Amino acid sequence: MAAVTASMVKELREMTGAGMMECKKALVEADGNLDAAVDVLRTRGLAAVAKKAGRATNEGTVMALVSEDGKAGAVVELNCETDFVGMNDKFKAYAEKIAKAALAANPADMDALKAADAEGETVEAVVTDAIHTLGENIQLSRFAVEQGGAVSSYIHGGGKIGVLVQFDVEGIDPASAEFKAYGRDVAMQVAAASPVAANRDSVDPAIVEHEKAIYMAQAAESGKPEAIQEKMAVGRLEKFFKESTLTEQAFVKNPDQTVSEYTAEVAKNLGGEIKVVDFKRFVLGEEA
């Protein structure tokens, strides 16, 4: 039996919002396994979908950029030791330089990005220069590039969260002011509502199975007949899709319509078609 420490109880409380004693009991039952303890609490109806374990600890910034034609975008995370440096304009300028290099090169992996050209020097040299200039250990931790169709970006909290959203568009200019405003709204939605996927078809099947297992366990505790239990689980899974997939979420700026309905409205106004394809959401310090 693994020892349950006060720090484990605190972390589980932060992840789930459940009471201290309930968190302690769940951790004991789960033999100290944090993820299993979350499932115990959810089965008892004491927690919603939990925040990710391994909370953000690194400082730095997330930088997202979109090309002038609106057809490609890049997001990078550059980490440092202190928030003081992370909020520094020089530090942010280094991050922007790296994001521009990622956008131009569309590198296959981190090694390719570090070797990519950044205004006459390599990205690796840019990071080294940042270390010498700012006097802290600075690391380029991850990046993503979206290309094709249309791409929009949004930065929240001065670089705490960075988002790229990719769309398929037909009959619409991705560089138009109207589309840019729409794309920023959808990227802001991703930052605020943290969906698990763009739509229900793109949700990881393992996540769907895990959620259904939780809902079946909840239904079993109701003591109702199996046929009713199945309906209860299916209903809760449907609610999960509506709350956790981008296109089915209530639009944060107008909760009376879904993101999908907002998208259809904008597409009609612009005389074309828009489909939300994918997104990347980087939270500063969160593991990829």
Side-chain angles (χ1 to χ4, degrees):
M1 172 73 69
V4 174
T5 64
S7 64
M8 290 164 68
V9 173
K10 180 174 180 287
E11 185 169 5
L12 185 58
R13 284 192 72 191
E14 288 174 348
M15 288 170 67
T16 64
M20 188 183 296
M21 290 309 297
E22 293 297 341
C23 286
K24 188 172 181 180
K25 286 177 191 172
L27 280 162
V28 169
E29 189 173 325
D31 197 22
N33 183 297
L34 206 58
D35 290 334
V38 169
D39 287 350
V40 169
L41 289 171
R42 289 188 63 197
T43 299
R44 292 176 183 163
L46 297 170
V49 179
K51 299 169 188 171
K52 282 189 178 179
R55 297 171 68 83
T57 54
N58 293 334
E59 299 297 343
T61 195
V62 178
M63 181 68 64
L65 296 175
V66 172
S67 60
E68 284 187 21
D69 63 6
K71 295 179 180 179
V75 58
V76 303
E77 180 177 347
L78 189 65
N79 296 122
C80 58
E81 295 176 43
T82 64
D83 186 52
F84 177 77
V85 166
M87 298 301 289
N88 183 290
D89 286 343
K90 281 186 178 178
F91 180 81
K92 289 184 181 295
Y94 283 118
E96 185 174 1
K97 199 172 183 179
I98 294 167
K100 284 179 179 176
L103 186 57
N106 188 20
D109 53 31
M110 184 59 77
D111 287 341
L113 175 56
K114 287 179 178 178
D117 176 70
E119 299 174 17
E121 58 184 334
T122 64
V123 165
E124 190 164 29
V126 171
V127 175
T128 301
D129 185 50
I131 293 168
H132 292 153
T133 302
L134 298 170
E136 286 196 1
N137 180 23
I138 292 170
Q139 299 287 334
L140 178 57
S141 61
R142 55 179 169 159
F143 78 97
V145 177
E146 296 276 21
Q147 286 192 327
V151 180
S152 296
S153 69
Y154 176 71
I155 292 291
H156 176 75
K160 300 299 183 188
I161 301 175
V163 173
L164 289 180
V165 185
Q166 184 181 23
F167 308 86
D168 274 345
V169 294
E170 212 170 291
I172 293 171
D173 179 7
S176 69
E178 296 88 349
F179 182 84
K180 281 183 177 179
Y182 156 77
R184 186 176 187 278
D185 280 345
V186 177
M188 192 186 301
Q189 173 89 21
V190 173
S194 188
V196 299
N199 52 60
R200 67 171 65 195
D201 291 337
S202 55
V203 178
D204 183 342
I207 291 176
V208 177
E209 286 305 311
H210 181 255
E211 291 301 312
K212 191 170 181 183
I214 293 287
Y215 304 142
M216 289 297 290
Q218 288 174 344
E221 295 210 342
S222 71
K224 292 181 179 176
E226 283 189 19
I228 301 294
Q229 289 179 28
E230 179 72 25
K231 284 182 180 177
M232 287 170 67
V234 169
R236 285 171 182 166
L237 189 60
E238 188 68 19
K239 185 170 183 279
F240 165 78
F241 283 130
K242 287 180 178 177
E243 291 178 347
S244 303
T245 58
L246 175 57
T247 52
E248 295 186 42
Q249 285 179 334
F251 179 38
V252 289
K253 282 191 169 182
N254 178 12
D256 290 335
Q257 63 179 176
T258 63
V259 171
S260 180
E261 288 166 345
Y262 173 52
T263 299
E265 181 184 287
V266 171
K268 184 179 179 183
N269 290 341
L270 295 180
E273 294 180 17
I274 305 171
K275 181 185 177 185
V276 182
V277 176
D278 190 20
F279 65 82
K280 296 289 186 293
R281 183 180 187 270
F282 283 11
V283 177
L284 182 64
E286 181 181 87
E287 291 183 9

